[in-house]
Amino acid sequence: AAAAAAAATAEEEDTEMPDAAKDGAAPATATGAADIAASKDVRAKRRAASSLKELDACLFLDALMDALESGKRPHMEAGLHAVKVFIDGVMLLACDPAVVGVSTEDAAMARNAVAAAEAAMQREAEKKAAAAEAKSMAKDAKYSSSRSAAAAAHARTANGKDKDAKVKEEELKVEGVVAVAVVTSAAAAKRGDGKNDATNKDAVAIKGKSDEAMESDGAEGEKEKDIASVDADQAAAAAATCTAPIPPALQALVSELLPRLMHCCFKKSWQATVGGVAGIDALSRVLPVSALRAHLARILQALLRALRSLPPHAVAEVRAATAVFHRVLGAATPRGVAIRGPEAPPGVETAVGVLAEELFSTSSSPTVRPVVEEAIDGLSRRSGLDAGRVLDVKATHLSGLLSRPLHSRHVHVQTQVVHILNFCLSTSPQPLIKIHSTFVGLLQEALAVAESDDPSTLKGGPGASDDLHALRTVCIRLMCSAMACPELKTPPASQEQLVQLRQRIITMFFKSLTSR
């Protein structure tokens, strides 16, 4: 009985001790306090062991870049998808002021950046839809015109077949000419009574047509005003995005992710190149333009390197890289932004210098040069400056091209030199170079290449037939551009060399047109 009473007393103490601990009461003995402290330490160790470890974001980005550079397409696509998810996650966290380190002002700036990016993507989608619709309409119009032409040809054939039958009918009706004349005169007299009514009806119809024409002109005018207002709104939105500050929470994307993506464009494997281009495309769509302008020159260099490394038969990849190049450059230099001078935003002049260096480079590739020329034309249109002021061409750019004879260079270098001179002659409103005595000698060499029917007679290494054909083609284009210059368009009689050169060019044109 005593043992049972002692056990009951121990159980009552055990059940009362948790209640006392909850109420903040001290344990009855020192041993109980030590046991409670030991149990707390065990629970804390278990929580620490089960919690997730924080990883360095730079290590995570390096792992993604390794996946892009692995040389395997599935790994590249998975790494690119992870990069896009990472960008979306950073943008989502940057818009939430509840995140540690993000203030309310920073979150508002990030939300504005996200809204601007979404509006830009919506405008781009609308442009693509409008272009696709215009293309389908043009295709339908072409199909309908071909059908109408076929119907007209069929009608002409039917009219030719019925011509003989009509001649025979006219011969049979000769006998009734007098009766037909009488009936015609009577009908004419009858129509004379209602002549005024017909005149009034014609006047009413003409007035109705004029009213409809005026209404249509008014509708077209309103449509043009609407289009102009939309363009003005888009230009204002583009200018606002260019001057928008960089949210502090997004600085990591610019300082850590962007250099890694640009580095991928310089890799040898095409998987890394494609991944770098796609990553730059995804990142440039969400960041403000002001965040990219400081790195615009390096971005353009990376994209040009990607275009140079991609083979010509990779049509889809080259098209995607070209689209990213023009979109980034167009977003950083919208209409109305100064390209040169103290008013130019920081980083723009350096980017234009990259384009000029690539344009006058004799080691450029056939994939890169058309992209650079189109970019320079776009800059000229948006800034309102001619190509010479955009590029700031100096005598040193052209002196190296004219310092050596054309035939003393490699075939590929010859092609690039002729490409450069053709672009310089075809710029408007004034060409970048004038035809002078030194330039005439190079034009004569290019004309000799254009006159050659068999490119194999030209100097070239084994397997250079394609390069020689490309050289002859670009030489013919150079002759077309040279004929549009005032020095060759109307050469003075005293300049016998220019007169003979013009005559030889015209003869070459006829020879090329009549050749098989």
Side-chain angles (χ1 to χ4, degrees), residues 215-301:
E215 291 178 358
S216 62
D217 293 339
E220 291 178 357
E222 293 178 358
K223 186 177 181 180
E224 292 178 357
K225 290 181 181 179
D226 294 338
I227 294 174
S229 63
V230 171
D231 294 339
D233 295 339
Q234 292 180 359
T241 55
C242 290
T243 57
I246 306 173
L250 304 181
Q251 288 283 359
L253 293 178
V254 181
S255 60
E256 300 296 340
L257 181 57
L258 183 60
R260 287 172 169 81
L261 293 175
M262 291 189 295
H263 183 68
C264 287
C265 295
F266 290 88
K267 293 294 183 179
K268 293 183 178 180
S269 63
W270 67 267
Q271 292 89 352
T273 302
V274 173
V277 171
I280 292 175
D281 182 25
L283 186 60
S284 61
R285 289 179 183 275
V286 298
L287 288 179
V289 179
S290 55
L292 300 176
R293 271 183 176 165
H295 307 274
L296 182 60
R298 297 173 59 193
I299 293 174
L300 296 183
Q301 287 177 343

Side-chain angles (χ1 to χ4, degrees), residues 176-223:
V177 171
V178 178
V180 172
V182 172
V183 174
T184 304
S185 60
K190 187 176 181 180
R191 284 196 303 269
D193 298 335
K195 185 175 182 180
N196 296 330
D197 297 336
T199 305
N200 294 332
K201 291 181 180 179
D202 294 339
V204 173
I206 292 172
K207 184 178 180 182
K209 290 181 180 180
S210 63
D211 293 339
E212 292 177 357
M214 291 177 64
E215 291 178 358
S216 62
D217 293 339
E220 291 178 357
E222 293 178 358
K223 186 177 181 180

Side-chain angles (χ1 to χ4, degrees), residues 94-106:
C95 297
D96 189 2
V99 177
V100 178
V102 179
S103 63
T104 306
E105 296 179 356
D106 298 344

Side-chain angles (χ1 to χ4, degrees), residues 22 103 156 217 229 276 426 449-450 466 487:
K22 290 181 182 179
S103 63
R156 286 195 298 269
D217 293 339
S229 63
S426 59
V449 175
D466 294 338
E487 293 84 359

Side-chain angles (χ1 to χ4, degrees), residues 312-401:
H313 60 266
V315 180
E317 288 76 10
V318 170
R319 188 186 300 113
T322 303
V324 175
F325 183 88
H326 289 305
R327 188 182 57 77
V328 171
L329 182 61
T333 58
R335 187 178 299 275
V337 174
I339 303 298
R340 295 285 182 182
E343 297 180 357
V348 173
E349 287 195 23
T350 309
V352 176
V354 171
L355 297 179
E357 182 181 357
E358 186 64 32
L359 177 67
F360 291 101
S361 174
T362 57
S363 60
S364 183
S365 66
T367 308
V368 175
R369 183 166 297 280
V371 177
V372 174
E373 293 179 356
E374 186 179 354
I376 294 172
D377 291 338
L379 285 175
S380 179
R381 289 192 306 270
R382 291 191 296 271
S383 63
L385 304 175
D386 56 0
R389 296 182 61 186
V390 170
L391 295 173
D392 193 15
V393 180
K394 296 180 175 60
T396 55
H397 289 116
L398 300 174
S399 59
L401 301 176

